[in-house]
Amino acid sequence: MKRLEINQLAGRRLRKNVFTAVFTKFLKNVKRKGKGVRVSLAIVDNRIIKKLNSIYRNKKLPTDVLSFSYGGESGREGEIIISYPQAKKQAKVYRHSLEKEMQILFTHGLLHLVGFDHKTEKDKVRMHKKECEILGEGLCERN
């Protein structure tokens, strides 16, 4: 079973297919095998993401996306939390649509669930390459 649950708790309601299309591409690209993959996506305000960022990362400021992997195998089950205000601000900065920014952040969160990180330059390049494979060249760049 492959399941994506979307909870839009803040901001304008976005079409669910914006996220389901990315989730489907992610599953094909990362080749998740086994019984199932379950991911919960929450779109929240800055107050909530700031609180979570403080609790789990000891950073007392809002961030754009947080990922939490649950259970034994990385990426089988997890939660991604995106800040609607941060996504909206970043979309404006990069001069693209809110939908595109949400897709970029969702993909970024999914990759964290399966063990990707960006602590080193080599890791950043590897993660960005995988983001582009999933999103396609037209969506992966922040112009």
Side-chain angles (χ1 to χ4, degrees), residues 3 7 19 22 24 29 37 44 56 69 73 77 83 94 98 116 120 123 127 135:
R3 185 165 163 222
N7 300 299
F19 303 105
V22 169
T24 300
N29 190 284
V37 175
V44 301
Y56 294 102
S69 184
E73 265 188 80
E77 217 172 311
S83 165
Y94 294 116
L98 176 61
F116 281 79
T120 68
D123 290 341
M127 189 167 188
L135 290 168

Side-chain angles (χ1 to χ4, degrees), residues 100-112:
K100 178 178 177 175
E101 187 63 23
M102 286 289 197
Q103 288 176 315
I104 290 168
L105 294 174
F106 183 50
T107 303
H108 190 84
L110 286 168
L111 289 174
H112 275 304

Side-chain angles (χ1 to χ4, degrees), residues 6 8 12-20 99 103:
I6 302 169
Q8 298 190 57
R12 182 187 71 168
R13 298 270 181 231
L14 297 167
R15 295 175 296 126
K16 290 188 178 197
N17 68 344
V18 166
F19 303 105
T20 54
E99 280 187 5
Q103 288 176 315

Side-chain angles (χ1 to χ4, degrees), residues 53 57 59 63-67 90 104-105 107-131 142:
N53 204 24
R57 298 179 63 225
K59 296 186 178 190
T63 188
D64 52 3
V65 63
L66 292 170
S67 296
Q90 289 171 197
I104 290 168
L105 294 174
T107 303
H108 190 84
L110 286 168
L111 289 174
H112 275 304
L113 290 181
V114 295
F116 281 79
D117 213 329
H118 43 78
K119 291 180 181 172
T120 68
E121 193 57 37
K122 184 179 178 183
D123 290 341
K124 282 181 194 175
V125 169
R126 182 174 165 254
M127 189 167 188
H128 182 71
K129 182 180 177 191
K130 188 56 82 170
E131 285 173 347
R142 284 183 166 155

Side-chain angles (χ1 to χ4, degrees), residues 25 130-141:
K25 289 179 191 175
K130 188 56 82 170
E131 285 173 347
C132 289
E133 287 175 18
I134 293 166
L135 290 168
E137 292 299 322
L139 281 177
C140 79
E141 295 302 323

